[in-house]
Every structure is written in C-alpha cells, then in structure tokens.
Amino acid sequence: MTMTALALSTTLHTTFDDAVTRTRKALADNGFGVLTEIDVKATMKAKLDADMADYLILGACNPPLAYQAVLTDPEIGLFLPCNVVVRADTSHGDDTVIVDAINPELMAQLSDAPAMEQVAQQVTTKLQAVIDALGGQ
C-alpha cells in the first residue's frame, strides 16, 4: 500500500496572527467550524518551561461531512475533527508561516469501509479549497 502525504500545505509570508485569522476565515468560508484550539507554544512553556516558535492546532469540523464519515465508519471519529496546524517557520525568516491541514485521503486508506473513499474525497476538496484560499507561495 502506498501511503498518502500526511498534509495539504501552504506557506505564507505574513505575521503569525494574520495567518491564523486568514486560516479561520478560509475554514469558515468552506463550511468548517473550529471546535478546538491548542496553543502548543503556550502549553509547552507552561508544562515544560520550553520555548518554541508559534504553533497552533485548530480542530476543524464540517458537520455534514463529519456526520457522513461517522455513519460510514464509526471508528473514523478517531480522526475527527480535522486538524489544521498554523506554525511559524523561523528557519525561513520571521514572516514565514506554514499552514498544514490533515490529508483526509488518509481516512480512506485506514478505513475498511468502501464508501469512506468518497467521503474523504469530499473533505479533501474542501480542505484543499481552504489551503488554496490562503494564497500561499
């Protein structure tokens, strides 16, 4: 079995806060709500007193597609919500931010339900639209 790429990604040249704002808007414009938010940088500082670059995980959900996925394979909830990571890439300068979205095609590869491929394709189309809307380079 050939493994699918882990993420759909784009690189932005902007501030971290602007990238987060633009990502939230692109998600909303494509039918996703943000159910969870994890500020990894703040968590690592609080728990380990470790410093790291800005790193935010947004747990995004498109309710109709999530419902369809769970009906198709109840175990698919292990992969929900769809994680979108906004992370500073300090190795390329202070204004470089990468946005990664989980590649839903992985769901189809990991599920035994034949119909999951169709659901995964629909989610991939929507998440790719989010990435494309960000207009990265």
Side-chain angles (χ1 to χ4, degrees):
M1 172 168 86
T2 302
M3 197 59 159
T4 299
L6 185 60
L8 309 172
S9 301
T10 191
T11 300
L12 305 176
H13 296 285
T14 187
T15 66
F16 182 79
D17 289 341
D18 180 58
V20 170
T21 299
R22 289 170 54 188
T23 301
R24 287 181 185 280
K25 181 178 181 339
L27 285 165
D29 289 350
N30 284 280
F32 291 90
V34 175
L35 301 178
T36 61
E37 179 176 319
I38 302 169
D39 183 338
V40 177
K41 176 183 177 179
T43 300
M44 294 304 146
K45 185 65 176 173
K47 301 292 183 184
L48 303 175
D49 195 29
D51 294 316
M52 64 179 290
D54 290 318
Y55 194 108
L56 184 69
I57 302 171
L58 302 172
C61 179
N62 180 298
L65 292 174
Y67 179 70
Q68 189 177 353
V70 170
L71 288 180
T72 301
D73 183 351
E75 290 182 329
I76 211 65
L78 294 165
F79 296 98
L80 299 178
C82 295
N83 283 332
V84 177
V85 173
V86 182
R87 57 188 174 95
D89 182 5
T90 56
S91 67
H92 289 95
D94 291 339
D95 70 339
T96 303
V97 180
I98 297 172
V99 179
D100 295 315
I102 185 85
N103 186 341
E105 295 295 329
L106 293 170
M107 289 189 307
Q109 288 184 348
L110 297 173
S111 173
D112 291 333
M116 188 56 68
E117 186 172 329
Q118 183 181 29
V119 176
Q121 287 173 352
Q122 292 174 356
V123 179
T124 300
T125 298
K126 290 206 170 278
L127 281 177
Q128 187 62 59
V130 168
I131 296 298
D132 292 346
L134 293 172
Q137 300 178 31

